[in-house]
Structures are given as structure tokens and as C-alpha cells.
Amino acid sequence: MKKLGLNTICTHVGEIKDEQFKGAVSPMYLSSSYEFIDVDVKRYPRYFNTPNQEYLSKKIAALEHTEDAMIFGSGMAAISTMFLAFLQKGDHLVVQNTLYGGTVNFIKEEFPKYGIEYTFTNGYKVEDFKAAIQPNTKLIHIETPSNPLLTITDIKAIADLGKSKGIVTSIDNTFASPVNQNPIDLGIDMVMHSATKYFGGHSDICAGAVASSKEHIDRIWNVGKNLGGSLSDMTVWMLERSMKTLGLRVKAQTKNALKLAKWLDKHPKISKVYYPGLKSHPEYELAKSQMKGFGAMLSFELAEELDSQQFQQELKLIKSSMSLAGVESTILSPHLTSHSLLTQEERDAVGISNQLLRFSVGIEDIKDLKNDIKQALKVTKQASFA
């Protein structure tokens, strides 16, 4: 077959044909026990190879242009297994300083127990990564666009740096999704996702994914089967169902986000907007060169020391919510949620203020989202500390 389009991959790749009843959707295989005599594959849920697990991985690999993929019980299960597959005692990790708080906390809490060394970069330019490399560096990890400040790292430059030094590279591609960015095409070795987010897209699934070469996935599988971070086939089936509309959802959300970012950027009660699709963004040209769309995530800071918590409470349509990327628009304070495990000093160092709000844009009509923000801003008062 010729190369399939995005929505065709989302809809058809990785589906299991119902040979018995000819149903239009994949059957769900809930068995946790399978035959082991005279079979090609010895299937077991913890081995990530039940029928639904196996076939969903094909869809993810196709979307990220890789040979293989694996699905996990959460994004943290995916990234932690990937790290532990490529790092051991005495090895060193170079990791971007603007990063999801859960990843930062895992590195700081768990790596010392394993004798794994790490360095957070001073910035997110390729020069910052070069400066952090040590003789025992085995892995470079980046996140772009980053959570929650939407910084943009040069993917190809990092991939080239890794190859020149014989260092494996990985990326958290959650914010962009494969709809807007394919890091493998730019030379990155491994791509991970919190599949809870855009892959699931309906705020009812917790899952993770890693996509890479078969060689790398085999190495991750060897660790994953011991850590046991697999997920139930009910969830796998729901995730495959949800991913059928991935392209449609993310493109609609991305379109909304660009319109909202431009509108917020001109609003007198918004002091700053973080969105790579704005020409004022310092990495706008870089984002345009490596992304197909600028994504559906943005962040902004309220002006005049307005009470950010009251603002969120006044919203009628946009939900205050811990997660992101559902079809419904959601908002949160990173210092109270995604980056609450960081100290105030650590948040200050990377620019995460208490006034910063992370906005996950949904598929609602744009006029309704604007009206909701307008009415909330109208009644929001100054914070008591102002």
C-alpha cells in the first residue's frame, strides 16, 4: 500500500479484524491467560503482548514513523522504564531544565538510589546540552514544546549532537502529539508520550507510550516486563477507540489555540502569553520549521496581580482540572499541580510564577471560550498579596 494519511492511520492501522462476527471495531480480548503449547507467541498481560496491546502498539508506531512501540499504564511508567532501560549505575543523563515536574521529581528521587548521575541544563539551546555532556553520558532527554512554558528546543540539533557523541536521544512529545510533530524524522532515537493526554483525548484514560526502533523497544521491554507497568486490555481497547479521532481532535484544538493565543496576547489584563505560534515567541521560526502545527497548549500570566485562583473559579465553561488535552478546555496553576513537587526556588529558576496558568484548549466554539474568559476577567479582583 502507498503511504497512508494521518486520519487513515488513526482509523485503521492497529485494528484487529473480527474474523468471527465481522464487527466494524476491534474485538476486546480480556483474557489474562493464553495457550502456551504450539503457539508462535506466548501471551501474557505483563509482557505487553496481549492481542489488544500488540495491535495498538502498531498504530502508535505508524503515527510516530517508528519500527515498534510499547504502551504502559501511565506516562510516568513509560518514561521511567525507558530511562532505566538505557541507564545503569555509573551512567549519566543530560536532561532539559524546562520539563514536566513529574519527570524532574522521578530523576531527583530515584536516580540516586540506582547510582545514576544526571545534569539539568542551564537552558534549552543546543549549547546548553553540549556543556552538560560528560564522558559517562549515555542519554540526552528533551521536551518540546515544554510543560508549562512552551519553550522550543531544536530537535534536529539535539539528535545530531547525540549521534556525534554516540549518545542515545529521547523526547517527550506529549504536548505536540504526532499530529503536530514527528521527532523520529528529525533524528531523535526514542519518542515517549503520556497517552493519558491527546492519545486518549477524553479525560477518561491513564496510559503511556514509547516508540522507537525494534532494537530499542526490545531493550525497554526487557526492563518493562520486570517493572510490570502494563495496562488492562479494557483500557487498551478504549485507547485504540479514542485514537481513531486523534487527527481530527488535535487539529481542531490547535486551530482554536492559535486564535486564543493571539486574542489573549492583546488583552490588557493578560501580561504575557506563552505559545510557539505567536510571532513574538522567541523560538517561533524554529517551531515553524519542526512542527506541522503549533499545538493546543498555551500558558499565560494575569496582569495587575489579579487573583489567579479566583479567575479559575469564575470560569463557567473552562474547567479547572489537573490534567490536559481532553476535548474540553481545561486550566490549572502549575505551581499547585504539575510542578508542585518542585521547590519555589526551582520554579522561580525556570520562570514558573504563581500567576502562571496553563491552558489546554479544547474543541468548543472559539466565541464561547472567549466569552467565558471575558466574564471571568471582568469579576476577578486583585490578589490579597498585591
Side-chain angles (χ1 to χ4, degrees), residues 195-205 239 242-243 245-246 249-250 253 324-328 363:
T196 308
K197 312 306 190 296
Y198 288 107
F199 282 8
H202 294 80
S203 304
D204 57 5
I205 288 169
L239 186 54
S242 296
M243 289 182 69
T245 60
L246 175 66
R249 288 186 281 102
V250 173
Q253 290 168 283
L324 60 96
V327 291
E328 68 286 340
I363 64 171

Side-chain angles (χ1 to χ4, degrees), residues 252-282:
Q253 290 168 283
T254 298
K255 184 178 179 181
N256 272 354
L258 180 58
K259 290 179 180 178
L260 277 172
K262 290 179 177 178
W263 177 72
L264 288 167
D265 198 38
K266 296 178 181 177
H267 200 289
K269 290 189 176 182
I270 304 299
S271 64
K272 190 167 185 179
V273 178
Y274 302 84
Y275 185 69
L278 293 176
K279 291 184 179 179
S280 58
H281 190 286

Side-chain angles (χ1 to χ4, degrees), residues 54 57-58 60-62 64-70 191 210-218 221:
E54 177 187 337
S57 295
K58 296 177 188 293
I60 294 169
E64 282 292 12
H65 307 166
T66 61
E67 292 178 339
D68 208 350
M70 282 179 67
V191 180
V210 179
S212 188
S213 65
K214 188 178 186 310
E215 179 183 357
H216 285 342
I217 292 298
D218 284 346
W221 178 84

Side-chain angles (χ1 to χ4, degrees), residues 1 3 57 62 77 95 105 111 118 150 167 177-178 180-181 199 228 261 269 274 297 309 367:
M1 295 178 67
K3 185 178 178 181
S57 295
V95 63
N105 190 61
F111 275 21
Y118 60 89
L150 286 302
I167 299 170
S177 90
N180 286 320
Q181 185 169 271
F199 282 8
K269 290 189 176 182
Y274 302 84
M297 295 298 303
Q309 284 188 259
K367 65 179 178 60

Side-chain angles (χ1 to χ4, degrees), residues 231-373:
L231 70 170
S232 77
D233 284 296
M234 172 70 82
T235 305
V236 175
W237 185 90
M238 289 178 65
L239 186 54
E240 197 268 330
R241 181 277 318 271
S242 296
M243 289 182 69
K244 289 177 183 288
T245 60
L246 175 66
L248 299 174
R249 288 186 281 102
V250 173
K251 285 184 178 180
Q253 290 168 283
T254 298
K255 184 178 179 181
N256 272 354
L258 180 58
K259 290 179 180 178
L260 277 172
K262 290 179 177 178
W263 177 72
L264 288 167
D265 198 38
K266 296 178 181 177
H267 200 289
K269 290 189 176 182
I270 304 299
S271 64
K272 190 167 185 179
V273 178
Y274 302 84
Y275 185 69
L278 293 176
K279 291 184 179 179
S280 58
H281 190 286
E283 291 90 41
Y284 168 74
E285 291 296 336
L286 174 59
K288 191 166 69 169
S289 71
Q290 66 186 25
M291 301 181 75
K292 301 167 193 172
F294 297 108
M297 295 298 303
L298 61 92
S299 294
F300 61 90
E301 293 178 1
L302 297 181
E304 303 174 2
E305 300 297 332
L306 292 175
D307 189 325
S308 62
Q309 284 188 259
Q310 186 199 350
F311 169 73
Q312 293 173 80
Q313 291 167 344
E314 298 291 350
L315 292 165
K316 309 298 183 187
L317 188 66
I318 300 164
K319 302 176 187 293
S320 293
S321 181
M322 284 280 288
S323 195
L324 60 96
V327 291
E328 68 286 340
S329 292
T330 59
I331 196 166
L332 60 71
S333 300
H335 79 283
L336 295 176
T337 56
S338 63
H339 291 70
S340 62
L341 295 175
L342 275 64
T343 65
Q344 184 66 55
E345 291 74 20
E346 289 171 331
R347 288 193 294 270
D348 290 342
V350 294
I352 300 173
S353 73
N354 291 353
Q355 289 294 92
L356 182 72
L357 298 174
R358 191 187 73 189
F359 188 9
S360 172
V361 182
I363 64 171
E364 301 94 340
D365 287 351
I366 194 74
K367 65 179 178 60
D368 296 326
L369 293 173
K370 287 181 179 179
N371 286 338
D372 194 28
I373 294 170

Side-chain angles (χ1 to χ4, degrees), residues 22-40:
K22 311 300 180 184
V25 301
S26 298
M28 188 191 307
Y29 293 89
L30 292 176
S31 179
S32 62
S33 183
Y34 289 85
E35 175 68 77
F36 68 93
I37 299 174
D38 295 329
V39 295
D40 294 329

